[in-house]
Amino acid sequence: MNNKYKLHEFLDVKRLQTLQDNFSKSMMIALVVVDQDGVPVTQASGFSDFCARSRLNEALATHCYESDNAGGRAAMQAGKPVVYRCYCGFVEFAVPIMINDHYLGAFISGQVKVEEEKENTIPYILDNHEIWKENTWLIDLHQDAKRMPYDRFESTASTLLHVSSYLVEQAHTNNIQRELHRKDLELTDELRKRVEIERSLHEAEFKALSYQINPHFLFNVLNTIGRLAYLEDAQRTETMVHDFSDMMRYLLRKNNHGLITLSHEINYVTSYMSIQKVRMHDRFDYHCDIPEKYSDVVCPFLILQPLVENFFNYVVEPRDTSSQLRISARDDGHDVILEVSDNGDGISQADIANILSGDENRQKGGIGINNIKNRLQLLFGENYGLEIYSAHKPRMGTTITLKFPMLEA
């Protein structure tokens, strides 16, 4: 396949390696990323002794790479994770990495055995070669392969698909931002194309603003899942995985106008807070008072994410006392007013002015807040936006209000 995209050029391999290592450790499963030809682009994480030693043998390694390549291609054609057995009988899955229908490569994971009845129904991705049995030292290692319930195996594949999709979307957004900068430089030399270029800039800027989420949160979540898997039964771990999967699905939910219903936005925040509750226990309380009549009102995609994330960065993390966050909604008959309030130490008037003007460089959170204001005005006009109220006194808190039209989807 001729492909103008190359995985190592499109995605940061070092960041990909970090994600892979964290995911493998958290979910206790083997994982590697291969390119469009089945060649590994990352160092293997969590490989079984059997597979690690097999790949040291050139003949056996060839069969491994052929299985990886075939699995990735099958996932590409399906457009979703594909479960199969490799040439030596281990159960694996491939998650495609694609952008704009172009296949970049795949996450290959597994090297496990599942329930025998289920395993017998899973097809081999290639012919069942038993060449590995010629190496007697591999037979015992093959018998010692890790076992995993199939339900958990399938859930792991689904979670990895959402994480993969998010990474690709974010990389695509970075490309859009670079293109945005290039076009901005060309404006002075191409005045006759001004209208067309400005429209392109607005579209690219809108997409870029909609995807500004701290990727470290993904890694924190995966590490927390791993710790729960050790300390507690699978039920809580499953709940957390589901919350995380719901978040990933929401992150990939978008339309041409970048709008979503308020109920979907609140569901995302609730999932986010549930995961943070597992991490931080009683260090914070969260209250959401959104009347049902606002459920179908449209709002910008991810409009609350920077505010909720700032609550943890600047209220919960710096202190030991319990913190509180409250999200409420009301209307004036024409517009919806969302209020996000905390009991932190507040923000000075000078910092508020800098944040709202876009000049705030001292606090990273100021960038996200200014983006919210810009998106509201870009979508609905200059009469809409965001305001910040704060006494700037210990435990007196900060209240941020967001105003947008009361329009139903």
Side-chain angles (χ1 to χ4, degrees):
M1 175 191 298
N2 292 325
N3 197 336
K4 66 177 181 178
Y5 297 105
K6 300 294 182 183
L7 190 146
H8 68 279
E9 298 172 350
F10 191 79
L11 292 175
D12 184 341
V13 174
K14 289 185 178 179
R15 182 180 170 198
L16 200 59
Q17 183 73 58
T18 300
L19 168 63
Q20 174 189 296
D21 292 341
N22 275 280
F23 192 93
S24 173
K25 184 177 180 180
S26 298
M27 307 308 286
M28 295 175 286
I29 196 168
L31 187 59
V32 70
V33 177
V34 299
D35 64 16
Q36 61 180 13
D37 298 315
V39 178
V41 296
T42 56
Q43 298 295 318
S45 303
F47 266 34
S48 67
D49 290 340
F50 177 93
C51 294
R53 297 186 66 176
S54 293
R55 294 192 181 215
L56 298 176
N57 181 298
E58 184 175 351
L60 297 180
T62 298
H63 289 295
C64 293
Y65 296 148
E66 288 176 349
S67 290
D68 291 347
N69 189 31
R73 296 285 173 169
M76 173 199 67
Q77 293 175 359
K80 61 182 182 180
V82 169
V83 177
Y84 59 88
R85 281 191 283 178
C86 69
Y87 82 96
C88 59
F90 289 144
V91 178
E92 300 190 335
F93 65 76
V95 172
I97 302 175
M98 302 180 70
I99 180 68
N100 294 340
D101 295 326
H102 292 277
Y103 177 61
L104 303 180
F107 285 95
I108 305 296
S109 182
Q111 302 177 5
V112 299
K113 296 179 180 179
V114 298
E115 297 88 339
E116 184 176 357
E117 182 178 352
K118 180 65 179 177
E119 186 171 300
N120 291 334
T121 66
I122 300 173
Y124 284 88
I125 193 68
L126 297 175
D127 292 337
N128 179 16
H129 294 294
E130 295 189 347
I131 185 174
W132 60 271
K133 289 187 177 180
E134 297 175 4
N135 299 270
T136 55
W137 48 274
L138 284 177
I139 296 177
D140 289 340
L141 293 178
H142 190 277
Q143 294 174 346
D144 293 338
K146 183 182 298 183
R147 291 190 172 275
M148 178 180 290
Y150 185 76
D151 286 347
R152 179 186 168 194
F153 182 78
E154 196 172 41
S155 176
T156 301
S158 176
T159 299
L160 187 56
L161 174 65
H162 296 309
V163 173
S164 170
S165 299
Y166 171 74
L167 286 178
V168 172
E169 289 281 355
Q170 190 176 63
H172 189 39
T173 298
N174 291 338
N175 285 347
I176 291 174
Q177 289 176 316
R178 286 191 290 269
E179 183 68 9
L180 175 67
H181 180 65
R182 183 184 68 80
K183 287 184 178 180
D184 191 35
L185 295 176
E186 291 176 352
L187 276 174
T188 54
D189 298 325
E190 300 181 20
L191 293 178
R192 15 182 218 95
K193 299 181 180 179
R194 186 174 182 84
V195 174
E196 179 182 350
I197 291 177
E198 284 186 342
R199 183 169 62 251
S200 176
L201 286 170
H202 278 300
E203 291 175 354
E205 181 180 10
F206 188 83
K207 289 182 180 179
L209 294 178
S210 295
Y211 285 94
Q212 289 190 351
I213 295 181
N214 184 356
H216 295 297
F217 174 66
L218 293 177
F219 304 147
N220 287 338
V221 171
L222 291 174
N223 285 328
T224 303
I225 293 174
R227 289 195 296 271
L228 282 176
Y230 280 111
L231 299 175
E232 301 180 358
D233 60 21
Q235 186 173 358
R236 288 192 65 194
T237 303
E238 182 180 5
T239 298
M240 190 170 183
V241 169
H242 287 166
D243 284 334
F244 188 45
S245 297
D246 288 342
M247 288 178 61
M248 293 301 99
R249 279 192 290 271
Y250 179 77
L251 290 174
L252 300 175
R253 182 198 301 268
K254 56 185 180 295
N255 58 39
N256 293 333
H257 304 291
L259 297 173
I260 202 77
T261 63
L262 186 56
S263 62
H264 281 116
E265 182 75 8
I266 293 299
N267 287 341
Y268 170 83
V269 171
T270 300
S271 295
Y272 181 96
M273 300 300 279
S274 295
I275 291 174
Q276 292 286 34
K277 198 69 176 177
V278 175
R279 293 182 58 234
M280 299 186 178
H281 303 291
D282 59 353
R283 291 187 60 188
F284 74 93
D285 287 314
Y286 163 62
H287 303 282
C288 184
D289 182 16
I290 306 293
E292 189 174 350
K293 68 177 181 177
Y294 302 127
S295 295
D296 293 330
V297 172
V298 295
C299 67
F301 178 71
L302 283 183
I303 200 69
L304 293 174
Q305 168 64 28
L307 306 182
V308 175
E309 192 165 332
N310 284 346
F311 168 68
F312 288 99
N313 291 338
Y314 304 114
V315 179
V316 180
E317 294 286 1
R319 63 186 190 177
D320 296 328
T321 57
S322 179
S323 302
Q324 296 180 0
L325 181 72
R326 181 181 180 84
I327 300 176
S328 61
R330 54 186 171 84
D331 69 82
D332 59 8
H334 301 284
D335 303 317
V336 174
I337 295 92
L338 277 184
E339 288 190 356
V340 181
S341 303
D342 63 52
N343 66 337
D345 296 335
I347 309 172
S348 70
Q349 293 302 308
D351 282 342
I352 289 175
N354 287 333
I355 289 171
L356 294 179
S357 67
D359 295 331
E360 178 58 69
N361 293 321
R362 283 172 291 173
Q363 297 186 32
K364 294 180 181 178
I367 298 174
I369 293 175
N370 184 252
N371 283 344
I372 295 174
K373 185 192 75 170
N374 289 342
R375 289 171 59 199
L376 286 168
Q377 293 180 345
L378 180 64
L379 283 166
F380 305 122
E382 294 297 322
N383 292 330
Y384 298 94
L386 173 151
E387 294 183 350
I388 303 175
Y389 305 90
S390 179
H392 195 211
K393 294 180 180 179
R395 300 189 67 80
M396 292 295 289
T398 299
T399 296
I400 298 177
T401 64
L402 291 74
K403 179 181 176 182
F404 48 88
M406 193 162 56
L407 303 173
E408 292 194 355

